[in-house]
Amino acid sequence: MKILVTGVKGQLGYDVVNELEKRGIQAVGVDIEEMDVTDAESVDKVIREAAPDAVIHCAAYTAVDAAEEHEELCRKVNTEGPRNIARVCKELDIKMVHISTDYVFGGEGTAFWKPEDACDPQSVYGMTKYEGELAVQELLEKYFIVRLTWTFGINGKNFVKTMLNLSKNHDTIRVVNDQIGSPSYTYDLAKLLVDMVLTDKYGVYHATNEGICSWYEFACAIFREAGIEMNVVPVTTQEYGAKAKRPANSRMDKEKLTRNGFERLPSWQDALTRYIKALRENHFFEE
């Protein structure tokens, strides 16, 4: 079996390629240099030449605030990109795994969002990711759309690395306390995505590590786990201020994973412990 993975330089794509190789599955990892997802001809050429059994599409425009000012580029990557890939997958009759986000929802209330709930994106990023989902659903039958939240991994940038970097020259940090979600380790997510692509249990899924917290609670746990003394000050979203609107409620219902026989991920606390250990081993920070 052979699987093409986009966004191999990012957190998730990197871990997905590693997981495939660990299982003895041939992985073809590409990033913008090898395949620009916004270029339909490039997409067509690269996928046909690779002749994979499936595509796991991890590449995306994820700069949420910058997207408000660069809507055209964001839409090219997050909407046209998936459409270009889905078109080729349809012609070659191969599966596609498309990665999406909690930002497709309105983000209000306290209920856990179900995969079939109505979408109501509140930002350019959220809207373009939702449009990407629609493009995949319109073109394909053999698709998995997997919505993730608050990801962190060894490769690329994330909230955990940002907090640890800030601790080098700050003794006080302000962190939002009124946005609730689930931190998710790309190492764990990669295992699930590979499990998924080996089946024909198609559809829309939510996947995160188990448990919920606020960004403030997550930050406190990061410093505790890393053994760093830090004064973390809780603030509201309004006090913090940001260009793009963030979901206040990113609680995701994952019962569909259980119903379809997929293993749920460990708790986010367990994931964070393993991640900090991996960062230490990679000399990301010193005690």
Side-chain angles (χ1 to χ4, degrees), residues 29-47:
V30 297
D31 217 289
I32 190 166
E33 295 85 0
E34 296 82 21
M35 186 179 94
D36 180 352
V37 298
T38 68
D39 180 345
E41 282 183 22
S42 168
V43 170
D44 189 81
K45 182 173 182 288
V46 172
I47 297 178

PDB file of all heavy atoms in Angstrom, residues 29-47:
ATOM      1  N   GLY A  29       5.622  11.786   1.170  1.00  0.00           N
ATOM      2  CA  GLY A  29       5.353  13.056   1.841  1.00  0.00           C
ATOM      3  C   GLY A  29       5.681  14.231   0.935  1.00  0.00           C
ATOM      4  O   GLY A  29       6.764  14.282   0.352  1.00  0.00           O
ATOM      5  N   VAL A  30       4.737  15.147   0.773  1.00  0.00           N
ATOM      6  CA  VAL A  30       4.973  16.329  -0.060  1.00  0.00           C
ATOM      7  C   VAL A  30       4.622  17.594   0.709  1.00  0.00           C
ATOM      8  O   VAL A  30       3.787  17.580   1.613  1.00  0.00           O
ATOM      9  CB  VAL A  30       4.151  16.296  -1.378  1.00  0.00           C
ATOM     10  CG1 VAL A  30       4.567  15.121  -2.247  1.00  0.00           C
ATOM     11  CG2 VAL A  30       2.645  16.259  -1.113  1.00  0.00           C
ATOM     12  N   ASP A  31       5.289  18.684   0.351  1.00  0.00           N
ATOM     13  CA  ASP A  31       4.942  20.001   0.875  1.00  0.00           C
ATOM     14  C   ASP A  31       4.861  20.939  -0.331  1.00  0.00           C
ATOM     15  O   ASP A  31       4.896  20.490  -1.478  1.00  0.00           O
ATOM     16  CB  ASP A  31       5.937  20.470   1.932  1.00  0.00           C
ATOM     17  CG  ASP A  31       5.234  21.242   3.052  1.00  0.00           C
ATOM     18  OD1 ASP A  31       4.795  22.371   2.771  1.00  0.00           O
ATOM     19  OD2 ASP A  31       5.090  20.707   4.161  1.00  0.00           O
ATOM     20  N   ILE A  32       4.788  22.239  -0.085  1.00  0.00           N
ATOM     21  CA  ILE A  32       4.533  23.182  -1.174  1.00  0.00           C
ATOM     22  C   ILE A  32       5.583  23.109  -2.285  1.00  0.00           C
ATOM     23  O   ILE A  32       5.263  23.311  -3.462  1.00  0.00           O
ATOM     24  CB  ILE A  32       4.384  24.627  -0.635  1.00  0.00           C
ATOM     25  CG1 ILE A  32       3.879  25.563  -1.739  1.00  0.00           C
ATOM     26  CG2 ILE A  32       5.697  25.123  -0.014  1.00  0.00           C
ATOM     27  CD1 ILE A  32       3.384  26.901  -1.234  1.00  0.00           C
ATOM     28  N   GLU A  33       6.837  22.769  -1.925  1.00  0.00           N
ATOM     29  CA  GLU A  33       7.890  22.691  -2.952  1.00  0.00           C
ATOM     30  C   GLU A  33       7.622  21.581  -3.955  1.00  0.00           C
ATOM     31  O   GLU A  33       7.923  21.704  -5.137  1.00  0.00           O
ATOM     32  CB  GLU A  33       9.269  22.453  -2.297  1.00  0.00           C
ATOM     33  CG  GLU A  33       9.749  23.594  -1.420  1.00  0.00           C
ATOM     34  CD  GLU A  33       9.206  23.526  -0.007  1.00  0.00           C
ATOM     35  OE1 GLU A  33       8.448  22.579   0.312  1.00  0.00           O
ATOM     36  OE2 GLU A  33       9.548  24.428   0.779  1.00  0.00           O
ATOM     37  N   GLU A  34       7.073  20.468  -3.471  1.00  0.00           N
ATOM     38  CA  GLU A  34       6.811  19.323  -4.367  1.00  0.00           C
ATOM     39  C   GLU A  34       5.422  19.386  -5.006  1.00  0.00           C
ATOM     40  O   GLU A  34       5.226  18.926  -6.130  1.00  0.00           O
ATOM     41  CB  GLU A  34       6.919  17.996  -3.591  1.00  0.00           C
ATOM     42  CG  GLU A  34       8.290  17.679  -3.045  1.00  0.00           C
ATOM     43  CD  GLU A  34       8.587  18.375  -1.724  1.00  0.00           C
ATOM     44  OE1 GLU A  34       7.631  18.791  -1.021  1.00  0.00           O
ATOM     45  OE2 GLU A  34       9.782  18.531  -1.409  1.00  0.00           O
ATOM     46  N   MET A  35       4.451  19.932  -4.272  1.00  0.00           N
ATOM     47  CA  MET A  35       3.081  19.982  -4.791  1.00  0.00           C
ATOM     48  C   MET A  35       2.343  21.156  -4.182  1.00  0.00           C
ATOM     49  O   MET A  35       1.953  21.127  -3.021  1.00  0.00           O
ATOM     50  CB  MET A  35       2.333  18.676  -4.478  1.00  0.00           C
ATOM     51  CG  MET A  35       0.948  18.615  -5.118  1.00  0.00           C
ATOM     52  SD  MET A  35       0.080  17.059  -4.773  1.00  0.00           S
ATOM     53  CE  MET A  35      -0.882  17.526  -3.322  1.00  0.00           C
ATOM     54  N   ASP A  36       2.163  22.204  -4.954  1.00  0.00           N
ATOM     55  CA  ASP A  36       1.401  23.372  -4.523  1.00  0.00           C
ATOM     56  C   ASP A  36      -0.081  23.037  -4.677  1.00  0.00           C
ATOM     57  O   ASP A  36      -0.575  22.902  -5.796  1.00  0.00           O
ATOM     58  CB  ASP A  36       1.780  24.586  -5.387  1.00  0.00           C
ATOM     59  CG  ASP A  36       1.017  25.842  -5.004  1.00  0.00           C
ATOM     60  OD1 ASP A  36       0.083  25.752  -4.180  1.00  0.00           O
ATOM     61  OD2 ASP A  36       1.356  26.910  -5.537  1.00  0.00           O
ATOM     62  N   VAL A  37      -0.787  22.890  -3.549  1.00  0.00           N
ATOM     63  CA  VAL A  37      -2.182  22.430  -3.617  1.00  0.00           C
ATOM     64  C   VAL A  37      -3.088  23.412  -4.344  1.00  0.00           C
ATOM     65  O   VAL A  37      -4.174  23.045  -4.805  1.00  0.00           O
ATOM     66  CB  VAL A  37      -2.755  22.120  -2.210  1.00  0.00           C
ATOM     67  CG1 VAL A  37      -1.965  21.003  -1.550  1.00  0.00           C
ATOM     68  CG2 VAL A  37      -2.839  23.357  -1.330  1.00  0.00           C
ATOM     69  N   THR A  38      -2.655  24.678  -4.462  1.00  0.00           N
ATOM     70  CA  THR A  38      -3.492  25.670  -5.147  1.00  0.00           C
ATOM     71  C   THR A  38      -3.349  25.587  -6.668  1.00  0.00           C
ATOM     72  O   THR A  38      -4.092  26.223  -7.400  1.00  0.00           O
ATOM     73  CB  THR A  38      -3.131  27.111  -4.702  1.00  0.00           C
ATOM     74  OG1 THR A  38      -1.828  27.449  -5.180  1.00  0.00           O
ATOM     75  CG2 THR A  38      -3.154  27.233  -3.193  1.00  0.00           C
ATOM     76  N   ASP A  39      -2.399  24.791  -7.132  1.00  0.00           N
ATOM     77  CA  ASP A  39      -2.121  24.639  -8.562  1.00  0.00           C
ATOM     78  C   ASP A  39      -2.678  23.296  -9.028  1.00  0.00           C
ATOM     79  O   ASP A  39      -2.091  22.237  -8.787  1.00  0.00           O
ATOM     80  CB  ASP A  39      -0.608  24.713  -8.789  1.00  0.00           C
ATOM     81  CG  ASP A  39      -0.202  24.560 -10.248  1.00  0.00           C
ATOM     82  OD1 ASP A  39      -1.038  24.109 -11.069  1.00  0.00           O
ATOM     83  OD2 ASP A  39       0.962  24.865 -10.573  1.00  0.00           O
ATOM     84  N   ALA A  40      -3.837  23.340  -9.694  1.00  0.00           N
ATOM     85  CA  ALA A  40      -4.537  22.105 -10.102  1.00  0.00           C
ATOM     86  C   ALA A  40      -3.655  21.196 -10.949  1.00  0.00           C
ATOM     87  O   ALA A  40      -3.686  19.967 -10.801  1.00  0.00           O
ATOM     88  CB  ALA A  40      -5.814  22.463 -10.852  1.00  0.00           C
ATOM     89  N   GLU A  41      -2.852  21.783 -11.832  1.00  0.00           N
ATOM     90  CA  GLU A  41      -1.984  20.971 -12.697  1.00  0.00           C
ATOM     91  C   GLU A  41      -0.906  20.256 -11.884  1.00  0.00           C
ATOM     92  O   GLU A  41      -0.609  19.080 -12.119  1.00  0.00           O
ATOM     93  CB  GLU A  41      -1.326  21.847 -13.772  1.00  0.00           C
ATOM     94  CG  GLU A  41      -2.244  22.190 -14.915  1.00  0.00           C
ATOM     95  CD  GLU A  41      -1.542  23.002 -16.000  1.00  0.00           C
ATOM     96  OE1 GLU A  41      -0.289  22.940 -16.071  1.00  0.00           O
ATOM     97  OE2 GLU A  41      -2.250  23.682 -16.758  1.00  0.00           O
ATOM     98  N   SER A  42      -0.322  20.966 -10.941  1.00  0.00           N
ATOM     99  CA  SER A  42       0.701  20.387 -10.061  1.00  0.00           C
ATOM    100  C   SER A  42       0.113  19.223  -9.261  1.00  0.00           C
ATOM    101  O   SER A  42       0.711  18.146  -9.156  1.00  0.00           O
ATOM    102  CB  SER A  42       1.241  21.457  -9.103  1.00  0.00           C
ATOM    103  OG  SER A  42       2.007  20.893  -8.067  1.00  0.00           O
ATOM    104  N   VAL A  43      -1.068  19.434  -8.704  1.00  0.00           N
ATOM    105  CA  VAL A  43      -1.749  18.402  -7.919  1.00  0.00           C
ATOM    106  C   VAL A  43      -2.005  17.163  -8.770  1.00  0.00           C
ATOM    107  O   VAL A  43      -1.707  16.030  -8.368  1.00  0.00           O
ATOM    108  CB  VAL A  43      -3.073  18.947  -7.328  1.00  0.00           C
ATOM    109  CG1 VAL A  43      -3.910  17.830  -6.719  1.00  0.00           C
ATOM    110  CG2 VAL A  43      -2.787  20.032  -6.296  1.00  0.00           C
ATOM    111  N   ASP A  44      -2.539  17.393  -9.949  1.00  0.00           N
ATOM    112  CA  ASP A  44      -2.858  16.292 -10.863  1.00  0.00           C
ATOM    113  C   ASP A  44      -1.600  15.485 -11.206  1.00  0.00           C
ATOM    114  O   ASP A  44      -1.578  14.259 -11.113  1.00  0.00           O
ATOM    115  CB  ASP A  44      -3.492  16.866 -12.138  1.00  0.00           C
ATOM    116  CG  ASP A  44      -4.057  15.776 -13.042  1.00  0.00           C
ATOM    117  OD1 ASP A  44      -5.177  15.318 -12.762  1.00  0.00           O
ATOM    118  OD2 ASP A  44      -3.353  15.372 -13.988  1.00  0.00           O
ATOM    119  N   LYS A  45      -0.543  16.188 -11.556  1.00  0.00           N
ATOM    120  CA  LYS A  45       0.719  15.549 -11.975  1.00  0.00           C
ATOM    121  C   LYS A  45       1.334  14.733 -10.836  1.00  0.00           C
ATOM    122  O   LYS A  45       1.685  13.562 -11.011  1.00  0.00           O
ATOM    123  CB  LYS A  45       1.699  16.620 -12.458  1.00  0.00           C
ATOM    124  CG  LYS A  45       3.038  16.106 -12.967  1.00  0.00           C
ATOM    125  CD  LYS A  45       3.847  17.262 -13.578  1.00  0.00           C
ATOM    126  CE  LYS A  45       5.184  16.788 -14.137  1.00  0.00           C
ATOM    127  NZ  LYS A  45       6.152  16.440 -13.069  1.00  0.00           N
ATOM    128  N   VAL A  46       1.459  15.351  -9.667  1.00  0.00           N
ATOM    129  CA  VAL A  46       2.135  14.694  -8.537  1.00  0.00           C
ATOM    130  C   VAL A  46       1.361  13.467  -8.060  1.00  0.00           C
ATOM    131  O   VAL A  46       1.943  12.404  -7.823  1.00  0.00           O
ATOM    132  CB  VAL A  46       2.361  15.688  -7.367  1.00  0.00           C
ATOM    133  CG1 VAL A  46       2.869  14.965  -6.124  1.00  0.00           C
ATOM    134  CG2 VAL A  46       3.342  16.777  -7.780  1.00  0.00           C
ATOM    135  N   ILE A  47       0.041  13.603  -7.932  1.00  0.00           N
ATOM    136  CA  ILE A  47      -0.747  12.458  -7.437  1.00  0.00           C
ATOM    137  C   ILE A  47      -0.736  11.320  -8.457  1.00  0.00           C
ATOM    138  O   ILE A  47      -0.549  10.149  -8.097  1.00  0.00           O
ATOM    139  CB  ILE A  47      -2.190  12.872  -7.073  1.00  0.00           C
ATOM    140  CG1 ILE A  47      -2.177  13.887  -5.920  1.00  0.00           C
ATOM    141  CG2 ILE A  47      -3.017  11.641  -6.674  1.00  0.00           C
ATOM    142  CD1 ILE A  47      -3.543  14.404  -5.501  1.00  0.00           C
TER     143      ILE A  47
END
